[in-house]
Amino acid sequence: MGRVSRIQTALNAGEISPLLDARPDLQKYGAALRSSVGFLPLVQGAAKRRGGFRYLGRTKNDGRAVFLEFIRSRKTAYVLEFGERYIRFWTRRGQVIDESGQVYEIASPYSLDDLLDDDNRPKITGAQSGDVLYLACAGVPPRKLSCAGPTAWELAEFRPKGGPWGEANTDKKKTIAVSGARDGEVTLTANFEAFKPGHVGSLLRLENSVWIDIVPWESLVRIEPNVYRRSDGKTYLAMEHNKGDEWWTGAVQPTHTDGSVWDGKGKRLVTTDSAFVGVLWQYRDPGYGVVRITAVDSPTSVRAEVVEGYSLPDALMGASTWKWQFGAWSDAAGFPTCCAFFRERLTFGGGTRVWTSKAGDFENFEDKTFGQIATDNAVTVTVVTGQGVDSIAALASMSSLVVITGGGEVVVSEAAASEPFGPENVRVSPQSAYGGLAARPAKVGSSCLFVQAGGRKVRELGYDFSSDAWSSPDVTMLAEHITRPGILCLAYQQEPYSILWCARADGALIGLTHDRNQEVSAWHRHGVGENGRVEALAVIPAHDRPEDELYAMVAIEAQGRTRRFVCALDEGLAPGGAVKDAFFLDCGKTVESHTPVSEIPSLEHLEGLRVHILADGAARPPQTVENGKITLDRPARLVQVGLPYESRLETTFLEAGAQAGTAQGAKKRIVKAQLRVLESAGGEIGSPAAGRWQTIFARDVRDKMDSPARLVSGDLGNTPWPGGWETGGSVGIRQALPLPLCVLAIVMVVETTDL
């Protein structure tokens, strides 16, 4: 029989899969946990009890909703509640109220069916620039949400200028005829069934298919009055000539894009005394024009309106052309499903296409300017992975544009790194073939975390300089069980603990403490109340401290109906704080009074539910909320009231004390256990296998009666072990009271028999 003293100094490998119960050889086994519920594994090594979710309000009519962030600055940030045809706004741990005292909201075209897919995953994404949030949602035209103040929001249709465009027609037998004027309303007639009802609102670009027949402009040549010439990719009309009997062009090539300009003036032609060079050229068009379809009269006929600034070429008036191109977005062609910013360009993705705006001009999608392709013009690329499921699910802006499709991961970047990104300097590079879902990726440091197709794995896509390639390791490899039955959405909280939060399809909340540089990747689970379901997540900066706040939509079943709360994750207890300020209750509230009170009102959201209470730092007996209130057994000034949740962890099986070889499978007994804690109060330690527990903390005889529990930091020594002999051997720690507990290390004296 061997007897050793063993210390577990780190608990930051998180909960690992039951498949690893027999892997003490694993490097992270000694810092891992068989179970981690309600504790946050910290990068530094400790396991800290999570704070409670503080109640802020309810969703409209307790209905389901989707969250998006709107961050103007660290001091001014909002969580947007998108519900059935409305948007509401949350900020500074409260709901935005208008001047009349009512909840402020604006109308929205999005239904719940638009916002959520069949698996209840959000379909809407946003990309923000300043006070404007651009929105993409599968099956719905893009829109933009503008903010001029807390109660001055406007949601408008997003109508990009000059594009983007679908495939250009190449069949010369399929033509479209134009009748009408260069500007204003026109009628388009096709010689085939070109139009669908879903084309209403779509752009259509019409190019002069006989444009090449227009003679190029030349200098010092004789021309006839009122003729057309093409120059610098544009069409010009001869309006006036210099004095003389003949029309002769000058030496200055027309390149202007507005009004009329002389190509030469006042110089007598050497070969004749009767003519002077110089013609006044009026800019007409770049060889093409753009219309927006307003009505579909039949499959071969539509009415349209010429888009301002894109007049139709004179040559198209009363003529037909086979050079036509529908806009990329419409009810007939579909709409983008996701958006992001990349290289100072607003970028959308949908189907197998990625569309970017012009550089620095987010609402301009011109792929050519007056017929010429420039570096800053819009870019359109096709993304194909070769896996057969190439529909774009998500975009993430990294050092390159990461495009996540159903069949794999692709990066879009410059072909030549020394030149700016543009239409003629773009490269599409497939990277891996895992595929992903339409859950918004989370940017964490220099990589992004995304949900793999199937919803059960999270992968970290980042550039690996050692291999000069992008890699996508599975960060759920050691905890494959924790994502069942699939992930709905992600939200990354950078401060204070670098945690990726995930809402599961069953309503459970799970977290990943992740720091690539410190090689920490620790999963943990969290129950919200006793039966709460988390359905939406968002993270915005806290307005009053240098941290990020996690907002969650929590659904609670009570009295035969579903209540949906908007809650913010509380820190629990600030470093150096007093135990009376501890907040370890879910969907809870704080009630403070200058004088001690017994009745605690304004708890209507918890009607009929059993709540736990922390009053002036002391845990009081649980009560059931009736008529929106509870009555304390003793008056108190500072009261925390909310739903209870249990935090518990269990270490991995012990590998210690054997005199020869492994201790796995051998009978072992923990003789004593010692905890090193930080600013903690309450809790139990024991044997999960035996189901025996004992209190970690006991009140000191020097403590005053009716005073709150003391916060303890340091070693709590040599606690006699309540368990007996067992083959596994693990330590369990749990806390069900609304009090803090932060475990820094566990010291155990272990006896192990020989096999």
Side-chain angles (χ1 to χ4, degrees):
M1 178 182 292
R3 181 167 179 159
V4 298
S5 180
R6 178 186 181 274
I7 183 171
Q8 182 164 343
T9 57
L11 302 99
N12 64 352
E15 181 174 319
I16 60 174
S17 168
L19 295 173
L20 300 176
D21 272 350
R23 290 293 307 278
D25 61 310
L26 198 67
Q27 182 180 0
K28 292 188 175 183
Y29 190 85
L33 301 168
R34 297 190 73 233
S35 176
S36 176
V37 180
F39 276 96
L40 305 178
L42 307 186
V43 172
Q44 295 85 347
K48 181 179 182 180
R49 190 184 192 204
R50 77 156 172 88
F53 275 101
R54 190 176 291 275
Y55 172 79
L56 307 181
R58 297 167 82 152
T59 63
K60 184 177 182 179
N61 300 324
D62 284 332
R64 185 145 193 173
V66 171
F67 285 168
L68 284 182
E69 299 92 351
F70 189 98
I71 303 172
R72 300 179 70 183
S73 68
R74 290 204 63 86
K75 295 292 185 181
T76 307
Y78 299 86
V79 171
L80 312 182
E81 175 193 329
F82 283 76
E84 179 69 30
R85 309 290 182 184
Y86 75 89
I87 308 174
R88 288 184 170 183
F89 307 88
W90 301 82
T91 186
R92 300 193 173 201
R93 293 195 172 190
Q95 200 164 14
V96 175
I97 305 299
D98 64 21
E99 295 179 354
S100 65
Q102 301 299 311
V103 174
Y104 177 73
E105 69 175 59
I106 63 173
S108 151
Y110 301 107
S111 68
L112 273 181
D113 288 338
D114 294 329
L115 297 167
L116 296 167
D117 67 13
D118 293 340
D119 296 318
N120 285 322
R121 289 188 175 89
K123 294 193 295 183
I124 189 169
T125 61
Q128 186 180 346
S129 174
D131 291 334
V132 178
L133 180 69
Y134 296 95
L135 300 169
C137 184
V140 182
R143 285 178 166 79
K144 61 178 183 179
L145 179 65
S146 305
C147 176
T151 57
W153 296 78
E154 181 181 1
L155 184 64
E157 185 177 347
F158 176 61
R159 284 198 169 188
K161 176 183 177 182
W165 300 104
E167 294 286 349
N169 176 57
T170 58
D171 187 346
K172 294 183 178 182
K173 295 181 180 180
K174 294 182 176 180
T175 64
I176 296 178
V178 180
S179 61
R182 296 179 72 243
D183 297 290
E185 296 183 356
V186 295
T187 298
L188 307 178
T189 305
N191 67 352
F192 68 105
E193 293 188 356
F195 307 113
K196 303 175 182 178
H199 278 133
V200 172
S202 174
L203 296 177
L204 179 62
R205 181 158 64 186
L206 299 162
E207 186 172 347
N208 179 11
S209 59
V210 295
W211 187 76
I212 195 170
D213 294 336
I214 299 176
V215 176
W217 176 92
E218 292 182 82
S219 65
L220 301 178
V221 297
R222 184 178 178 180
I223 64 170
E224 297 298 323
N226 300 316
V227 297
Y228 290 92
R229 289 293 183 265
R230 54 187 173 92
S231 173
D232 193 42
K234 297 177 274 290
T235 305
Y236 296 91
L237 176 64
M239 299 295 295
E240 185 181 345
H241 74 296
N242 276 316
K243 59 184 178 178
D245 298 327
E246 301 171 354
W247 290 58
W248 288 80
T249 60
V252 181
Q253 180 183 1
T255 60
H256 58 286
T257 58
D258 187 40
S260 301
V261 175
W262 291 92
D263 65 2
K265 188 172 183 181
K267 182 178 179 182
R268 185 186 297 274
L269 192 63
V270 175
T271 58
T272 175
D273 291 334
S274 63
F276 288 77
V277 299
V279 175
L280 183 65
W281 294 100
Q282 183 187 70
Y283 168 76
R284 298 300 290 172
D285 58 73
Y288 59 87
V290 178
V291 301
R292 188 181 302 276
I293 297 172
T294 56
V296 176
D297 296 323
S298 73
T300 59
S301 178
V302 297
R303 284 166 283 162
E305 191 171 69
V306 178
V307 176
E308 184 178 357
Y310 295 91
S311 300
L312 293 173
D314 292 331
L316 281 180
M317 297 299 97
S320 298
T321 179
W322 59 267
K323 287 190 173 183
W324 49 265
Q325 194 172 9
F326 280 110
W329 304 342
S330 66
D331 284 331
F335 295 102
T337 57
C338 50
C339 57
F341 277 99
F342 177 68
R343 297 287 192 271
E344 304 253 345
R345 298 168 182 264
L346 176 59
T347 304
F348 289 91
T352 60
R353 292 292 187 92
V354 172
W355 304 276
T356 81
S357 71
K358 293 186 68 172
D361 192 353
F362 305 143
E363 299 187 17
N364 189 334
F365 281 72
E366 290 179 333
D367 56 359
K368 51 187 177 183
T369 304
F370 298 109
Q372 303 297 307
I373 297 177
T375 300
D376 67 342
N377 275 129
V379 178
T380 298
V381 295
T382 300
V383 175
V384 178
T385 64
Q387 300 300 308
V389 189
D390 288 324
S391 183
I392 294 173
L395 300 175
S397 181
M398 312 292 291
S399 58
S400 297
L401 178 67
V402 175
V403 183
I404 299 170
T405 78
E409 294 69 57
V410 176
V411 296
V412 177
S413 61
E414 297 86 351
S418 60
E419 299 294 330
F421 179 79
E424 297 178 327
N425 186 32
V426 58
R427 176 175 60 186
V428 179
S429 305
Q431 298 298 319
S432 50
Y434 299 111
L437 295 178
R440 285 183 298 161
K443 185 175 180 180
V444 181
S446 60
S447 60
C448 79
L449 298 173
F450 70 93
V451 181
Q452 184 177 325
R456 291 282 304 280
K457 293 181 179 179
V458 176
R459 290 192 173 272
E460 180 181 18
L461 181 63
Y463 188 77
D464 183 3
F465 286 94
S466 62
S467 62
D468 192 25
W470 292 74
S471 61
S472 305
D474 177 9
V475 296
T476 51
M477 177 65 71
L478 302 184
E480 45 75 36
H481 68 296
I482 208 162
T483 56
R484 295 194 189 101
I487 294 174
L488 294 184
C489 59
L490 309 174
Y492 176 60
Q493 184 184 23
Q494 181 170 285
E495 295 292 343
Y497 302 127
S498 185
I499 298 176
L500 176 74
W501 295 99
C502 312
R504 283 194 329 203
D506 61 353
L509 178 66
I510 58 178
L512 171 67
T513 302
H514 189 72
D515 189 315
R516 192 179 194 184
N517 294 329
Q518 300 301 320
E519 298 182 347
V520 172
S521 192
W523 286 96
H524 34 101
R525 293 179 288 137
H526 301 270
V528 179
E530 295 178 329
N531 66 350
R533 302 191 315 274
V534 175
E535 296 179 338
L537 298 171
V539 171
I540 61 173
H543 72 281
D544 56 353
R545 58 191 189 282
E547 297 177 2
D548 298 324
E549 283 190 321
L550 173 69
Y551 280 62
M553 183 175 70
V554 179
I556 299 289
E557 300 295 333
Q559 297 181 323
R561 65 187 300 265
T562 300
R563 306 172 190 172
R564 286 187 171 88
F565 308 148
V566 177
C567 302
L569 183 62
D570 198 272
E571 187 178 10
L573 182 65
V579 68
K580 65 182 179 66
D581 297 316
F583 193 88
F584 293 91
L585 295 162
D586 283 340
C587 307
K589 299 180 69 172
T590 297
V591 178
E592 190 171 6
S593 174
H594 293 297
T595 59
V597 295
S598 296
E599 186 175 285
I600 309 300
S602 303
L603 301 176
E604 289 82 5
H605 68 290
L606 298 174
E607 183 69 28
L609 296 173
R610 191 166 179 79
V611 296
H612 282 206
I613 306 160
L614 186 73
D616 291 337
R620 299 289 183 87
Q623 293 193 38
T624 299
V625 177
E626 296 181 0
N627 299 318
K629 61 185 179 181
I630 59 171
T631 302
L632 301 178
D633 55 348
R634 298 191 308 277
R637 288 187 174 86
L638 183 61
V639 181
Q640 324 281 6
V641 183
L643 302 177
Y645 62 94
E646 184 180 64
S647 299
R648 61 185 184 277
L649 61 80
E650 180 185 353
T651 65
T652 50
F653 291 143
L654 294 171
E655 174 65 6
Q659 292 182 335
T662 181
Q664 299 299 305
K667 289 284 188 179
K668 56 184 71 71
R669 179 172 70 95
I670 300 173
V671 180
K672 292 182 179 180
Q674 184 178 24
L675 293 183
R676 181 167 295 171
V677 300
L678 178 66
E679 296 182 339
S680 301
E684 296 177 304
I685 189 171
S687 168
R692 298 174 183 171
W693 302 85
Q694 68 179 33
T695 302
I696 299 173
F697 299 90
R699 292 182 66 88
D700 193 284
V701 294
R702 295 168 293 182
D703 292 343
K704 294 181 180 180
M705 296 293 290
D706 296 331
S707 66
R710 293 180 300 117
L711 291 176
V712 177
S713 296
D715 295 337
L716 301 177
N718 296 328
T719 304
W721 189 249
W725 291 93
E726 54 184 279
T727 57
S730 63
V731 174
I733 299 170
R734 68 184 188 183
Q735 170 68 291
L737 296 175
L739 293 168
L741 179 58
C742 180
V743 181
L744 304 181
I746 306 172
V747 180
M748 296 157 278
V749 177
V750 183
E751 290 181 347
T752 306
T753 64
D754 296 328
L755 283 172

